Amino acid sequence: MKIYWTQKSVPELSELTKLEKKKAWKYAYRKCFGHWETYAGIIICGGCAGLGSFLWDLPGAAIGGGIGGFIYGQIAIAVGRKHLADWRASNLEAQ
């Protein structure tokens, strides 16, 4: 599995302008919430924060939340990439 650190590293977004990237990702991210994987990522994020809190109190919650947030971000990008082609097709039709 490839890790995407920024939106620039997502192949579907790499050649777009800043405004187009924003519009495309906004469209794709909203569509993410129709997939179970997104909700699993949210649960994983909360679980990591909870586990970190249980093990090391507040610093652990922050570290666990950061790790969980990273995992959630990767899941959201993987799911959102499926919808970027739809955005591109609808955007090209409008032109």
Side-chain angles (χ1 to χ4, degrees):
M1 181 176 155
K2 181 160 173 39
I3 294 176
Y4 298 102
W5 295 101
T6 65
Q7 286 183 354
K8 288 180 185 178
S9 62
V10 176
E12 294 84 355
L13 297 175
S14 62
E15 70 275 354
L16 300 177
T17 66
K18 197 171 193 176
L19 182 61
E20 287 175 326
K21 276 183 199 175
K22 184 177 179 180
K23 288 180 181 179
W25 184 247
K26 188 175 183 179
Y27 172 85
Y29 188 70
R30 286 181 178 166
K31 296 282 187 174
C32 287
F33 290 95
H35 297 268
W36 67 268
E37 295 97 331
T38 305
Y39 295 103
I42 292 170
I43 291 168
I44 290 169
C45 182
C48 287
L51 180 63
S53 176
F54 176 75
L55 295 175
W56 300 294
D57 293 323
L58 187 60
I63 293 168
I67 293 169
F70 175 76
I71 293 169
Y72 168 73
Q74 296 304 305
I75 292 170
I77 289 173
V79 174
R81 286 185 68 198
K82 299 174 186 176
H83 297 286
L84 288 171
D86 297 338
W87 177 84
R88 181 177 288 272
S90 67
N91 194 33
L92 289 176
E93 288 174 10
Q95 292 179 353

mmCIF file of all heavy atoms in Angstrom, residues 21-41:
data_model
loop_
_atom_site.group_PDB
_atom_site.id
_atom_site.type_symbol
_atom_site.label_atom_id
_atom_site.label_comp_id
_atom_site.label_asym_id
_atom_site.label_seq_id
_atom_site.Cartn_x
_atom_site.Cartn_y
_atom_site.Cartn_z
ATOM 1 N N LYS A 21 -7.760 21.196 -7.234
ATOM 2 C CA LYS A 21 -7.482 20.185 -6.210
ATOM 3 C C LYS A 21 -8.479 20.298 -5.068
ATOM 4 O O LYS A 21 -9.012 19.300 -4.589
ATOM 5 C CB LYS A 21 -6.075 20.360 -5.632
ATOM 6 C CG LYS A 21 -5.002 19.731 -6.415
ATOM 7 C CD LYS A 21 -3.676 19.917 -5.695
ATOM 8 C CE LYS A 21 -2.555 19.696 -6.672
ATOM 9 N NZ LYS A 21 -1.260 19.964 -6.128
ATOM 10 N N LYS A 22 -8.704 21.531 -4.648
ATOM 11 C CA LYS A 22 -9.616 21.769 -3.535
ATOM 12 C C LYS A 22 -11.026 21.290 -3.882
ATOM 13 O O LYS A 22 -11.666 20.600 -3.092
ATOM 14 C CB LYS A 22 -9.616 23.259 -3.181
ATOM 15 C CG LYS A 22 -10.446 23.603 -1.985
ATOM 16 C CD LYS A 22 -10.330 25.086 -1.658
ATOM 17 C CE LYS A 22 -11.188 25.444 -0.480
ATOM 18 N NZ LYS A 22 -11.103 26.860 -0.154
ATOM 19 N N LYS A 23 -11.491 21.649 -5.071
ATOM 20 C CA LYS A 23 -12.835 21.245 -5.496
ATOM 21 C C LYS A 23 -12.940 19.731 -5.659
ATOM 22 O O LYS A 23 -13.925 19.121 -5.234
ATOM 23 C CB LYS A 23 -13.202 21.936 -6.812
ATOM 24 C CG LYS A 23 -13.490 23.398 -6.666
ATOM 25 C CD LYS A 23 -13.839 24.004 -8.010
ATOM 26 C CE LYS A 23 -14.106 25.488 -7.895
ATOM 27 N NZ LYS A 23 -14.419 26.081 -9.209
ATOM 28 N N ALA A 24 -11.927 19.137 -6.283
ATOM 29 C CA ALA A 24 -11.947 17.694 -6.524
ATOM 30 C C ALA A 24 -11.929 16.923 -5.214
ATOM 31 O O ALA A 24 -12.696 15.974 -5.021
ATOM 32 C CB ALA A 24 -10.758 17.291 -7.391
ATOM 33 N N TRP A 25 -11.050 17.330 -4.295
ATOM 34 C CA TRP A 25 -10.958 16.592 -3.031
ATOM 35 C C TRP A 25 -12.209 16.805 -2.190
ATOM 36 O O TRP A 25 -12.668 15.876 -1.524
ATOM 37 C CB TRP A 25 -9.711 16.973 -2.254
ATOM 38 C CG TRP A 25 -9.608 16.121 -1.035
ATOM 39 C CD1 TRP A 25 -9.715 16.523 0.252
ATOM 40 C CD2 TRP A 25 -9.463 14.701 -0.997
ATOM 41 N NE1 TRP A 25 -9.632 15.442 1.089
ATOM 42 C CE2 TRP A 25 -9.475 14.308 0.351
ATOM 43 C CE3 TRP A 25 -9.319 13.724 -1.978
ATOM 44 C CZ2 TRP A 25 -9.353 12.985 0.738
ATOM 45 C CZ3 TRP A 25 -9.192 12.399 -1.583
ATOM 46 C CH2 TRP A 25 -9.205 12.044 -0.248
ATOM 47 N N LYS A 26 -12.781 17.984 -2.218
ATOM 48 C CA LYS A 26 -14.014 18.240 -1.473
ATOM 49 C C LYS A 26 -15.121 17.310 -1.971
ATOM 50 O O LYS A 26 -15.852 16.715 -1.173
ATOM 51 C CB LYS A 26 -14.425 19.705 -1.642
ATOM 52 C CG LYS A 26 -15.573 20.134 -0.778
ATOM 53 C CD LYS A 26 -15.809 21.632 -0.944
ATOM 54 C CE LYS A 26 -16.905 22.117 -0.053
ATOM 55 N NZ LYS A 26 -17.122 23.565 -0.187
ATOM 56 N N TYR A 27 -15.235 17.173 -3.284
ATOM 57 C CA TYR A 27 -16.221 16.276 -3.877
ATOM 58 C C TYR A 27 -15.968 14.832 -3.438
ATOM 59 O O TYR A 27 -16.869 14.142 -2.974
ATOM 60 C CB TYR A 27 -16.161 16.389 -5.406
ATOM 61 C CG TYR A 27 -17.000 15.376 -6.127
ATOM 62 C CD1 TYR A 27 -18.346 15.619 -6.361
ATOM 63 C CD2 TYR A 27 -16.458 14.181 -6.571
ATOM 64 C CE1 TYR A 27 -19.127 14.679 -7.019
ATOM 65 C CE2 TYR A 27 -17.232 13.240 -7.224
ATOM 66 C CZ TYR A 27 -18.557 13.495 -7.448
ATOM 67 O OH TYR A 27 -19.333 12.564 -8.086
ATOM 68 N N ALA A 28 -14.722 14.379 -3.581
ATOM 69 C CA ALA A 28 -14.383 12.993 -3.268
ATOM 70 C C ALA A 28 -14.524 12.700 -1.778
ATOM 71 O O ALA A 28 -15.018 11.634 -1.390
ATOM 72 C CB ALA A 28 -12.964 12.684 -3.725
ATOM 73 N N TYR A 29 -14.121 13.640 -0.926
ATOM 74 C CA TYR A 29 -14.176 13.412 0.520
ATOM 75 C C TYR A 29 -15.617 13.277 1.003
ATOM 76 O O TYR A 29 -15.915 12.453 1.861
ATOM 77 C CB TYR A 29 -13.462 14.550 1.258
ATOM 78 C CG TYR A 29 -13.320 14.290 2.735
ATOM 79 C CD1 TYR A 29 -12.464 13.304 3.194
ATOM 80 C CD2 TYR A 29 -14.039 15.022 3.668
ATOM 81 C CE1 TYR A 29 -12.320 13.056 4.547
ATOM 82 C CE2 TYR A 29 -13.899 14.781 5.019
ATOM 83 C CZ TYR A 29 -13.045 13.796 5.458
ATOM 84 O OH TYR A 29 -12.913 13.540 6.797
ATOM 85 N N ARG A 30 -16.504 14.065 0.442
ATOM 86 C CA ARG A 30 -17.916 13.940 0.820
ATOM 87 C C ARG A 30 -18.465 12.577 0.440
ATOM 88 O O ARG A 30 -19.289 12.009 1.152
ATOM 89 C CB ARG A 30 -18.738 15.039 0.172
ATOM 90 C CG ARG A 30 -18.523 16.376 0.806
ATOM 91 C CD ARG A 30 -19.373 17.423 0.162
ATOM 92 N NE ARG A 30 -19.184 18.706 0.822
ATOM 93 C CZ ARG A 30 -19.590 19.844 0.318
ATOM 94 N NH1 ARG A 30 -20.221 19.879 -0.842
ATOM 95 N NH2 ARG A 30 -19.382 20.961 0.977
ATOM 96 N N LYS A 31 -18.022 12.046 -0.682
ATOM 97 C CA LYS A 31 -18.474 10.727 -1.136
ATOM 98 C C LYS A 31 -17.913 9.603 -0.263
ATOM 99 O O LYS A 31 -18.461 8.508 -0.247
ATOM 100 C CB LYS A 31 -18.067 10.491 -2.595
ATOM 101 C CG LYS A 31 -18.698 11.431 -3.573
ATOM 102 C CD LYS A 31 -20.108 11.020 -3.848
ATOM 103 C CE LYS A 31 -20.684 11.874 -4.961
ATOM 104 N NZ LYS A 31 -22.007 11.428 -5.355
ATOM 105 N N CYS A 32 -16.827 9.867 0.447
ATOM 106 C CA CYS A 32 -16.213 8.851 1.302
ATOM 107 C C CYS A 32 -17.174 8.333 2.364
ATOM 108 O O CYS A 32 -17.096 7.175 2.768
ATOM 109 C CB CYS A 32 -14.977 9.410 2.009
ATOM 110 S SG CYS A 32 -13.557 9.633 0.955
ATOM 111 N N PHE A 33 -18.079 9.164 2.801
ATOM 112 C CA PHE A 33 -18.944 8.787 3.906
ATOM 113 C C PHE A 33 -20.091 7.878 3.482
ATOM 114 O O PHE A 33 -20.955 7.548 4.291
ATOM 115 C CB PHE A 33 -19.435 10.034 4.642
ATOM 116 C CG PHE A 33 -18.321 10.693 5.394
ATOM 117 C CD1 PHE A 33 -17.613 11.731 4.835
ATOM 118 C CD2 PHE A 33 -17.940 10.220 6.627
ATOM 119 C CE1 PHE A 33 -16.556 12.313 5.504
ATOM 120 C CE2 PHE A 33 -16.881 10.779 7.312
ATOM 121 C CZ PHE A 33 -16.187 11.832 6.753
ATOM 122 N N GLY A 34 -20.074 7.430 2.248
ATOM 123 C CA GLY A 34 -20.994 6.401 1.799
ATOM 124 C C GLY A 34 -20.362 5.021 1.846
ATOM 125 O O GLY A 34 -20.962 4.054 1.396
ATOM 126 N N HIS A 35 -19.151 4.908 2.391
ATOM 127 C CA HIS A 35 -18.411 3.651 2.421
ATOM 128 C C HIS A 35 -18.122 3.242 3.864
ATOM 129 O O HIS A 35 -17.776 4.077 4.701
ATOM 130 C CB HIS A 35 -17.086 3.794 1.670
ATOM 131 C CG HIS A 35 -17.256 4.096 0.212
ATOM 132 N ND1 HIS A 35 -17.301 3.125 -0.728
ATOM 133 C CD2 HIS A 35 -17.406 5.273 -0.443
ATOM 134 C CE1 HIS A 35 -17.472 3.670 -1.921
ATOM 135 N NE2 HIS A 35 -17.537 4.983 -1.771
ATOM 136 N N TRP A 36 -18.209 1.940 4.113
ATOM 137 C CA TRP A 36 -17.972 1.446 5.466
ATOM 138 C C TRP A 36 -16.522 1.639 5.898
ATOM 139 O O TRP A 36 -16.243 1.783 7.100
ATOM 140 C CB TRP A 36 -18.369 -0.028 5.569
ATOM 141 C CG TRP A 36 -17.501 -0.953 4.777
ATOM 142 C CD1 TRP A 36 -17.703 -1.381 3.496
ATOM 143 C CD2 TRP A 36 -16.286 -1.561 5.210
ATOM 144 N NE1 TRP A 36 -16.689 -2.206 3.093
ATOM 145 C CE2 TRP A 36 -15.800 -2.340 4.133
ATOM 146 C CE3 TRP A 36 -15.548 -1.526 6.388
ATOM 147 C CZ2 TRP A 36 -14.626 -3.080 4.209
ATOM 148 C CZ3 TRP A 36 -14.379 -2.258 6.458
ATOM 149 C CH2 TRP A 36 -13.926 -3.026 5.383
ATOM 150 N N GLU A 37 -15.601 1.652 4.943
ATOM 151 C CA GLU A 37 -14.186 1.784 5.280
ATOM 152 C C GLU A 37 -13.898 3.104 5.998
ATOM 153 O O GLU A 37 -13.057 3.158 6.892
ATOM 154 C CB GLU A 37 -13.315 1.713 4.021
ATOM 155 C CG GLU A 37 -13.348 0.380 3.314
ATOM 156 C CD GLU A 37 -14.330 0.353 2.142
ATOM 157 O OE1 GLU A 37 -15.339 1.083 2.179
ATOM 158 O OE2 GLU A 37 -14.080 -0.409 1.199
ATOM 159 N N THR A 38 -14.603 4.147 5.603
ATOM 160 C CA THR A 38 -14.414 5.453 6.232
ATOM 161 C C THR A 38 -14.798 5.404 7.706
ATOM 162 O O THR A 38 -14.074 5.910 8.568
ATOM 163 C CB THR A 38 -15.233 6.524 5.494
ATOM 164 O OG1 THR A 38 -14.867 6.500 4.117
ATOM 165 C CG2 THR A 38 -14.991 7.901 6.068
ATOM 166 N N TYR A 39 -15.937 4.775 7.987
ATOM 167 C CA TYR A 39 -16.382 4.679 9.375
ATOM 168 C C TYR A 39 -15.473 3.765 10.190
ATOM 169 O O TYR A 39 -15.230 4.012 11.379
ATOM 170 C CB TYR A 39 -17.839 4.214 9.428
ATOM 171 C CG TYR A 39 -18.753 5.235 8.810
ATOM 172 C CD1 TYR A 39 -19.275 5.072 7.534
ATOM 173 C CD2 TYR A 39 -19.049 6.410 9.485
ATOM 174 C CE1 TYR A 39 -20.091 6.031 6.965
ATOM 175 C CE2 TYR A 39 -19.854 7.382 8.921
ATOM 176 C CZ TYR A 39 -20.372 7.184 7.659
ATOM 177 O OH TYR A 39 -21.158 8.143 7.095
ATOM 178 N N ALA A 40 -14.932 2.721 9.556
ATOM 179 C CA ALA A 40 -13.960 1.873 10.241
ATOM 180 C C ALA A 40 -12.712 2.682 10.589
ATOM 181 O O ALA A 40 -12.146 2.529 11.679
ATOM 182 C CB ALA A 40 -13.590 0.671 9.372
ATOM 183 N N GLY A 41 -12.294 3.575 9.680
ATOM 184 C CA GLY A 41 -11.141 4.434 9.949
ATOM 185 C C GLY A 41 -11.379 5.373 11.124
ATOM 186 O O GLY A 41 -10.469 5.617 11.929
#
